[in-house]
Amino acid sequence: MKLSEHFSLIEFTRSQTASRHGIDNTPNEEQLENLKTLAKGLEDVRTKLDNNPINISSGFRCEDLNDRLGSKRTSRHILGLAADFTCDRYDDVTSVFSVLADSSIGFDQLILEYDSWIHIAFPKKGDKPQRQVLIINKEGVHFYG
């Protein structure tokens, strides 16, 4: 199922951990609608990155999968509004992060994690983007800028 021009449902629900542990990582209707919002937001990200492909390493997580991964129950991944990604064809991950942090994209949260990947979360339809920009590394959590 295509969620947008460049993103399909399987990209957001595929999980080796879920497969290994027999977890059904299928979104419900509300989560599916949120995944469409996420895909639309990632289309804006892709456009900002000169239309280079985005590699999603973690997208939607049902509660069982999220718990198995040791993530908080407040994670936007559970709602279908967050993804972790890289963009291999666009310089390095810190360059991608800087471009997005300085953009006008309406994200709720943008996090550079351990100089290895980017977490991005979008608001629910109708909510105002919070535009929180953070860096997480071995020293802890820091505000960007």
Side-chain angles (χ1 to χ4, degrees):
M1 167 190 254
K2 294 286 269 182
L3 298 176
S4 68
E5 182 181 356
H6 296 103
F7 297 100
S8 64
L9 179 60
I10 191 68
E11 290 178 88
F12 293 106
T13 58
R14 180 185 310 127
S15 168
Q16 293 176 353
T17 301
S19 295
R20 245 189 326 269
H21 296 282
I23 297 171
D24 180 5
N25 195 40
T26 304
N28 63 31
E29 287 302 315
E30 181 181 351
Q31 293 160 332
L32 184 58
E33 287 305 309
N34 288 342
L35 284 166
K36 292 175 185 175
T37 298
L38 175 60
K40 182 183 179 311
L42 287 174
E43 290 289 352
D44 294 340
V45 167
R46 185 181 159 115
T47 298
K48 191 69 180 172
L49 300 175
D50 301 326
N51 212 32
N52 282 301
I54 293 171
N55 306 309
I56 298 168
S57 56
S58 183
F60 171 73
R61 299 178 195 155
C62 67
E63 287 182 354
D64 288 346
L65 177 57
N66 196 67
D67 291 348
R68 173 68 67 169
L69 293 170
S71 190
K72 296 177 183 174
R73 279 285 176 108
T74 56
S75 171
R76 292 316 247 350
H77 287 276
I78 294 172
L79 299 175
L81 290 169
D84 299 338
F85 72 93
T86 56
C87 181
D88 297 338
R89 293 189 197 163
Y90 191 96
D91 296 328
D92 58 68
V93 71
T94 55
S95 297
V96 171
F97 178 75
S98 294
V99 165
L100 298 178
D102 296 334
S103 76
S104 62
I105 294 173
F107 56 79
D108 256 354
Q109 197 173 53
L110 183 73
I111 307 172
L112 175 61
E113 298 194 39
Y114 303 97
D115 288 330
S116 297
W117 70 90
I118 295 169
H119 168 92
I120 194 165
F122 290 93
K124 288 183 179 181
K125 271 187 184 170
D127 287 355
K128 183 178 178 183
Q130 299 301 306
R131 294 214 22 107
Q132 182 183 47
V133 183
L134 303 167
I135 297 173
I136 296 177
N137 57 30
K138 61 185 178 181
E139 283 86 39
V141 180
H142 314 278
F143 286 98
Y144 173 78

